[in-house]
Amino acid sequence: EVQLVESGGGLVQPGGSLRLSCAASGFTFSSYWMSWVRQAPGKGLEWVANIKQDGGEKNYVDSVKGRFTISRDNAKNSLFLQMNSLRAEDTAVYYCARDIARNGVGATDYWGQGTLVTVSS
Amino acid sequence: DIQMTQSPSSLSASVGDRVTITCRTSQSISNYLNWYQQKPGKAPKLLIYAASSLQSGVPSRFSGSGSGTDFTLTISSLQPEDFATYYCQQSHSTPNTFGQGTKLEIK
């Protein structure tokens, strides 16, 4: 059974940092692109970043470029999101997600339960 | 970035109704379009990928169509468990943007 379990969320002051982790199990982690998607309270979904199987390619939404870094440790089946210079607008539930390619089209087929990040003084 | 416009933003319907949600993209994305369902307090669930392919385990009352810039998600006969929020997402290019969501409520 595929499982994605996020951790590391919490309350942080504006300008602070947090590192989110995602523990993956039930599949060959090193064979999949992985993503982070966030959802501000009462709002819609926002794609944040993704990373290739070997970590050699990373993509970010403009609003987090230069502040967030996605990384992975395939030996430990883990995905990470280092978040620096946090702002109030980064407050959200952050989901770890597995990406797939079906018929040559990318999609996200498994999601974690999410971890809440609150940026507030 | 590719902009996504979903409509309507909310919809009231009854069990047994046929419902259609539309998604329009700011540029052509071929069939790089996915649909997700999200219930309150839960993670999203993939329903449709590549515009019209049904994800494994998803009931056949869900269907998707479209190509280029205009896409639709259709639920042929609403069931009580279908009342949720639906999102489209493009995977043609990063950032893989989502639509703003359509909240489907019971009439």
Side-chain angles (χ1 to χ4, degrees), chain B:
Chain B
D1 297 359
I2 297 174
Q3 308 304 314
M4 313 290 287
T5 304
Q6 242 182 279
S7 61
S9 55
S10 64
L11 175 60
S12 293
S14 301
V15 172
D17 283 354
R18 179 184 180 90
V19 166
T20 297
I21 298 169
T22 65
C23 183
R24 177 166 288 176
T25 59
S26 59
Q27 64 188 75
S28 178
I29 61 168
S30 183
N31 68 333
Y32 288 75
L33 193 285
N34 307 309
W35 290 97
Y36 300 87
Q37 176 194 67
Q38 187 181 33
K39 295 182 179 179
K42 300 294 186 182
K45 173 186 175 182
L46 177 64
L47 299 176
I48 302 286
Y49 62 92
S52 60
S53 296
L54 194 67
Q55 171 69 348
S56 176
V58 174
S60 59
R61 62 181 180 273
F62 291 92
S63 64
S65 65
S67 183
T69 62
D70 293 292
F71 303 87
T72 60
L73 172 70
T74 299
I75 310 172
S76 61
S77 179
L78 274 173
Q79 298 302 301
E81 61 268 28
D82 298 338
F83 291 94
T85 300
Y86 294 84
Y87 294 93
C88 59
Q89 181 207 30
Q90 63 82 17
S91 59
H92 179 271
S93 57
T94 57
N96 292 350
T97 39
F98 289 89
Q100 80 275 18
T102 295
K103 186 173 184 179
L104 180 52
E105 298 174 309
I106 301 174
K107 183 182 287 185

Side-chain angles (χ1 to χ4, degrees), chain A:
Chain A
E1 178 193 5
V2 172
Q3 286 199 331
L4 299 168
V5 180
E6 303 96 335
S7 60
L11 175 64
V12 61
Q13 293 188 338
S17 298
L18 273 181
R19 189 190 196 213
L20 305 184
S21 299
C22 172
S25 61
F27 65 103
T28 305
F29 180 73
S30 60
S31 296
Y32 291 85
W33 281 77
M34 297 293 295
S35 292
W36 289 98
V37 176
R38 68 184 178 183
Q39 186 167 36
K43 303 297 184 182
L45 301 170
E46 182 181 31
W47 182 91
V48 174
N50 69 357
I51 185 168
K52 195 176 179 180
Q53 290 92 331
D54 62 359
E57 184 177 342
K58 305 174 185 181
N59 300 288
Y60 300 91
V61 68
D62 281 351
S63 60
V64 309
K65 280 180 183 174
R67 300 188 300 123
F68 289 12
T69 302
I70 189 172
S71 62
R72 63 192 298 162
D73 183 338
N74 287 341
K76 295 183 178 180
N77 294 335
S78 295
L79 179 71
F80 305 101
L81 187 67
Q82 177 67 43
M83 304 187 296
N84 299 330
S85 303
L86 283 160
R87 306 167 179 167
E89 54 265 35
D90 296 316
T91 295
V93 172
Y94 284 74
Y95 293 102
C96 164
R98 187 180 85 166
D99 292 341
I100 57 169
R102 295 275 169 84
N103 301 343
V105 174
T108 301
D109 68 342
Y110 280 95
W111 305 65
Q113 84 288 351
T115 187
L116 177 62
V117 172
T118 304
V119 184
S120 174
S121 54

